[in-house]
Amino acid sequence: MKLIFATNNQHKVAELQSLLAHQLKIITLKQAGIDIDIPEPHQTIKENAAEKALTIYRLTKTSCFGEDTGLEVRALNNEPGVKSARYAGEEKSFQKNIDKLLTNLLHFENRQAQFRTVICLVLDDKTHFFEGICKGKIIEEQRGAKGFGYDSVFVPEGSEKTFAEMDITEKNIFSHRAKAVMGLVAFLNNIKQNTQY
């Protein structure tokens, strides 16, 4: 089965391709000949995931999925949340976002946080949602050079490493995105037995 992945984030594409190599063919926006910046206008991760998937579905009439991810920090009332990519401004600078996060956490002892991913699949004009959560904590200084976003300051429960210190295979053991993808795959495998897909 082939699905268009409604994202321009090549880091996310690489993560999903590592998870789905033998189960699903992902078509990137570039491969589909689509060059647009998909809006993220909503106040929830779920709504933004749906916006991405439905935008591409309307353009292509092809089955597709979109995802949105937010970092939710307990001491900051679950900020940056839905604004994670633009926490420090519209330029979506990973480093500026991290700097703002660490500054805002300076006087807090509680550094518990979680990543939340929601995937929206559009299949035959119907939407389906899958969620993945990874709990952990925000450390005081960046560690590691892999990954993207907030990976260098997030340590998942069950590990001493930040996501940025892990390769993709190790990160996928803990990853919020991997958990959401597994829900997507289970759903597709289930319907594949009873349809032409």
Side-chain angles (χ1 to χ4, degrees):
M1 187 174 182
K2 299 179 182 179
L3 291 175
I4 297 176
F5 184 14
T7 185
N8 288 305
N9 186 321
Q10 295 308 305
H11 297 287
K12 292 182 179 181
V13 171
E15 280 192 11
L16 264 70
Q17 285 176 332
S18 73
L19 285 163
L20 299 173
H22 304 295
Q23 302 179 71
L24 189 69
K25 179 170 177 56
I26 295 175
I27 303 169
T28 65
L29 291 184
K30 184 176 181 181
Q31 289 170 334
I34 300 169
D35 183 18
I36 62 170
D37 189 17
I38 306 173
E40 297 177 312
H42 303 291
Q43 295 304 307
T44 69
I45 292 168
K46 182 178 180 180
E47 288 175 302
N48 279 340
E51 180 77 28
K52 295 173 186 179
L54 288 167
T55 295
I56 298 306
Y57 186 75
R58 292 186 194 108
L59 279 174
T60 65
K61 298 301 179 188
T62 300
S63 296
C64 63
F65 68 97
E67 71 86 58
D68 198 32
T69 295
L71 174 66
E72 300 171 340
V73 181
R74 183 174 296 182
L76 302 179
N77 297 314
N78 288 334
E79 287 188 2
V82 72
K83 300 185 184 301
S84 292
R86 296 176 172 83
Y87 193 39
E90 287 299 315
E91 70 269 31
K92 295 201 239 182
S93 164
F94 293 158
Q95 190 57 54
K96 288 181 180 178
N97 288 340
I98 289 171
D99 290 344
K100 181 176 179 178
L101 176 65
L102 295 182
T103 297
N104 287 348
L105 278 174
L106 273 176
H107 304 296
F108 289 97
E109 290 187 15
N110 181 353
R111 302 178 77 88
Q112 290 180 302
Q114 66 181 27
F115 275 114
R116 181 192 304 274
T117 289
V118 176
I119 289 175
C120 175
L121 169 70
V122 183
L123 196 65
D124 298 330
D125 284 323
K126 296 179 181 177
T127 57
H128 308 272
F129 293 93
F130 311 92
E131 183 179 80
I133 290 175
C134 177
K135 297 181 181 295
K137 65 181 180 181
I138 303 299
I139 59 174
E140 295 181 0
E141 295 181 350
Q142 293 178 252
R143 294 202 322 250
K146 301 171 187 173
F148 62 101
Y150 298 91
D151 284 359
S152 62
V153 292
F154 182 84
V155 175
E157 286 184 359
S159 178
E160 297 299 320
K161 292 181 180 180
T162 67
F163 274 160
E165 294 175 299
M166 301 177 183
D167 60 26
I168 286 180
T169 301
E170 188 176 3
K171 181 179 178 181
N172 284 342
I173 295 170
F174 302 95
S175 169
H176 44 292
R177 193 168 292 111
K179 291 172 183 175
V181 167
M182 290 304 100
L184 169 68
V185 169
F187 174 81
L188 292 173
N189 284 340
N190 185 49
I191 65 169
K192 190 161 61 171
Q193 297 173 8
N194 304 305
T195 70
Q196 73 275 21
Y197 291 111

